[in-house]
Amino acid sequence: MKATLKTCRFTTAMLLGLLLFGCASTTSNVSSSRDTNQTAYDQHVNLAKQYIGLDKRNLARLHLRKAENLHDTDDIKGLSQLYNSYALLYQIELEMGLAEKYFLKAMNSDPSDSVVRYNFSSFLFNQERFAESLEQILLVSTDLSYQRRPQAFFIAGLAQNKLNDRDTAIQSFKRAIELSPQFNRAYFELAKAYFEQKRYLLARDTMGYYKALSQDTAESLWLLVRIEFNMGDSQAMTIYGNRLVTLFGDSEQAGSYQKLVQ
């Protein structure tokens, strides 16, 4: 990060020199100045995102203001990531009304920006607005060039589960796995969906893939306990239950297991 900041300071100073020089030059340098402004704008937006991720909010605001001052007013689409960054900043500050306002401004600026729509869908999901979240994330899932497409299908599955559309949720989790075979959380949610449908053998098989990719958690061990309990395999249930109590003795899931076997 220090190296990045040093590079940014050097680049900003260099760009300022070019801009000042451009004022005294002929009009042939106008496009060059615009390119320079765009480069600086992108750098400030990217730095703001990094600072938001590090929860350094004042530094994030500083770079967002600088980006705003550099932005070419004719480039409406270019505002989407600026507004997206403001939305993320307000979200971590629990200013949910402002966050939503800026997500909407970002999408209005560039409806094709899947990053913004993905973030807005996650925002809506966390607000328990599952139908709205699903509407947004399904649009994201159609963007074949979006690198987080597996996660988009995963969020779609979570929202569909919340809306009691379990069959469709299963298809979404499967699609996430097809696109990203190492996506361990998708296996876990798929296994949970199978378990809730009482398809215990499929749930067990799916948890086998999950275990191959993941370490034990209280949640995963408790699911395994319940799968084996419903399949009548008391030996496997005891093995997973003892591991649950040993590793996560203070967890709610360990307490539920101890009640189960009393």
Side-chain angles (χ1 to χ4, degrees):
M1 177 62 74
K2 290 181 179 178
T4 304
L5 289 173
K6 287 179 181 177
T7 302
C8 181
R9 291 192 191 101
F10 172 76
T11 307
T12 302
M14 180 181 68
L15 295 178
L16 180 59
L18 289 172
L19 286 170
L20 291 172
F21 177 76
C23 293
S25 302
T26 64
T27 55
S28 63
N29 286 324
V30 171
S31 61
S32 177
S33 296
R34 285 178 180 169
D35 291 342
T36 298
N37 273 356
Q38 184 62 46
T39 300
Y41 168 81
D42 292 338
Q43 287 178 334
H44 285 302
V45 170
N46 289 333
L47 279 170
K49 289 178 185 175
Q50 292 178 43
Y51 283 127
I52 290 168
L54 295 170
D55 201 22
K56 295 184 177 181
R57 304 172 196 178
N58 289 335
L59 285 170
R61 280 194 182 83
L62 172 67
H63 285 285
L64 289 174
R65 284 195 295 267
K66 288 182 177 180
E68 215 162 358
N69 291 334
L70 286 164
H71 185 262
D72 182 350
T73 54
D74 294 330
D75 178 22
I76 297 173
K77 290 182 74 172
L79 284 167
S80 64
Q81 282 305 308
L82 176 69
Y83 291 149
N84 175 63
S85 299
Y86 271 119
L88 294 172
L89 177 62
Y90 289 130
Q91 185 175 350
I92 64 173
E93 292 184 335
L94 302 180
E95 296 286 353
M96 298 309 182
L98 281 172
E100 182 166 357
K101 174 184 174 181
Y102 275 89
F103 276 131
L104 292 174
K105 288 177 71 170
M107 289 193 298
N108 286 335
S109 298
D110 184 2
S112 68
D113 192 331
S114 292
V115 173
V116 174
R117 206 172 288 277
Y118 179 95
N119 289 339
F120 186 46
S121 176
S122 299
F123 168 83
L124 292 169
F125 187 91
N126 290 331
Q127 296 294 300
E128 299 186 357
R129 294 160 60 180
F130 303 121
E132 294 172 82
S133 173
L134 180 60
E135 180 183 359
Q136 296 299 328
I137 207 65
L138 287 177
L139 289 172
V140 175
S141 70
T142 64
D143 184 352
L144 300 183
S145 64
Y146 185 48
Q147 63 180 2
R148 301 201 74 188
R149 200 162 168 242
Q151 290 86 344
F153 279 106
F154 177 72
I155 293 174
L158 293 178
Q160 287 154 346
N161 232 348
K162 292 290 187 181
L163 295 168
N164 295 316
D165 188 1
R166 203 147 286 131
D167 287 334
T168 311
I170 285 172
Q171 296 308 311
S172 293
F173 293 136
K174 284 183 175 180
R175 192 73 184 102
I177 290 167
E178 287 169 356
L179 292 171
S180 180
Q182 302 300 308
F183 193 174
N184 60 342
R185 190 69 192 181
Y187 287 105
F188 182 71
E189 292 298 333
L190 178 59
K192 279 172 59 178
Y194 281 141
F195 177 80
E196 287 159 1
Q197 290 188 330
K198 300 183 179 181
R199 298 162 75 180
Y200 301 124
L201 183 58
L202 281 172
R204 176 198 271 172
D205 289 345
T206 305
M207 282 302 291
Y209 289 105
Y210 173 81
K211 287 191 295 176
L213 295 168
S214 313
Q215 294 184 338
D216 290 329
T217 66
E219 194 179 11
S220 68
L221 288 170
W222 175 232
L223 178 58
L224 286 163
V225 164
R226 288 178 292 156
I227 290 170
E228 300 303 345
F229 174 79
N230 281 282
M231 293 193 71
D233 190 336
S234 58
Q235 183 178 3
M237 183 193 78
T238 301
I239 290 171
Y240 291 128
N242 288 343
R243 192 181 305 169
L244 172 60
V245 172
T246 300
L247 296 176
F248 307 102
D250 295 331
S251 68
E252 179 183 344
Q253 291 84 356
S256 297
Y257 170 70
Q258 289 170 331
K259 288 179 183 177
L260 179 67
V261 296
Q262 281 178 350

